[in-house]
Amino acid sequence: MPLLPILRFPDPRLKIVAAPVKKIDDTIRCLARDMAETMYEAPGIGLAATQVDVHLRVIVIDASETRDQLLVLINPELVESAGVQVGEEGCLSVPGIYDKVERAGHVVVRYLDTDGKAQTVAADGLLAVCLQHEIDHLEGRVFVEHLSPLKQTRIKAKMLKQSRITA
Ligand code: K1U
Ligand code: ZN
């Protein structure tokens, strides 16, 4: 199974709003499998299809310590959010940058699984943060947009410098 290349911030394709999946077929299941493999290999605790330049509403998450609780969420929708938590976030599209972001403390997300069955997940802590981070990607938002304009400018400059060095 191929590992998928991950777009790097500030690539403008990270700003594209992903379209809902209309039909859950083998193409979508194959995409989810490749995304999961890419996430585990990175390593990361989540990955949105946007980050691999596929603009469909698919995310994969495994925020477990044992790395054996894969969630594949198709057309995820945040249906409830409550409270506040501030936690350190990173992003596979912004390697080497970690910063504190304020998020809802508790969320409920409705989604379709790979069989097309409606499911809900209620989460707090790291899983809640990760769900919000990945849904943001599907909306074309990267976590640095939650930081101050000064930090965003510095991070953008650092990423552009790195991409010139590695090109
Ligand atoms: O969407 C992504 O870019 C993945 C990102 C998800 C995320 C991390 C932290 C808070 C919120 C969302 C990552 O996985 S970055 C890598 C990372 O944090 C990590 C990697 C391995 C083990 C544990 C954490
Ligand atoms: Zn990310």
Side-chain angles (χ1 to χ4, degrees):
M1 281 183 285
L3 292 179
L4 305 169
I6 298 175
L7 298 177
R8 294 272 180 111
F9 179 81
D11 191 307
R13 289 171 289 181
L14 287 168
K15 286 186 173 292
I16 298 172
V17 178
V21 173
K22 287 194 183 134
K23 186 169 170 240
I24 299 173
D25 56 13
D26 283 346
T27 308
I28 294 296
R29 283 186 276 270
C30 185
L31 168 67
R33 242 193 339 265
D34 291 346
M35 285 173 58
E37 198 190 352
T38 303
M39 173 190 73
Y40 284 121
E41 172 68 23
I45 57 170
L47 189 68
T50 307
Q51 294 176 277
V52 294
D53 202 18
V54 175
H55 302 283
L56 292 171
R57 301 186 84 83
V58 179
I59 64 182
V60 295
I61 291 181
D62 189 344
S64 70
E65 281 185 14
T66 43
R67 310 287 281 153
D68 60 357
Q69 287 170 42
L70 177 66
L71 282 172
V72 177
L73 300 96
I74 300 167
N75 298 342
E77 280 176 66
L78 196 60
V79 291
E80 269 179 54
S81 65
V84 173
Q85 61 176 323
V86 178
E88 188 101 335
E89 295 192 22
C91 182
L92 297 175
S93 295
V94 199
I97 303 290
Y98 295 86
D99 212 326
K100 288 195 171 69
V101 175
E102 187 177 300
R103 300 278 190 184
H106 177 81
V107 297
V108 177
V109 173
R110 195 161 48 205
Y111 65 98
L112 300 175
D113 66 19
T114 50
D115 296 321
K117 199 165 163 240
Q119 304 280 2
T120 56
V121 57
D124 42 33
L126 182 60
L127 180 56
V129 171
C130 197
L131 284 161
Q132 292 169 82
H133 179 114
E134 302 309 334
I135 292 172
D136 261 4
H137 275 303
L138 300 182
E139 292 299 325
R141 277 191 301 266
V142 176
F143 89 101
V144 298
E145 289 169 47
H146 291 273
L147 307 178
S148 71
L150 177 63
K151 282 186 178 177
Q152 289 186 41
T153 305
R154 285 185 178 159
I155 292 167
K156 210 175 277 181
K158 190 172 175 183
M159 290 296 126
L160 287 171
K161 191 173 169 194
Q162 263 177 25
S163 68
R164 279 196 294 272
I165 291 166
T166 52

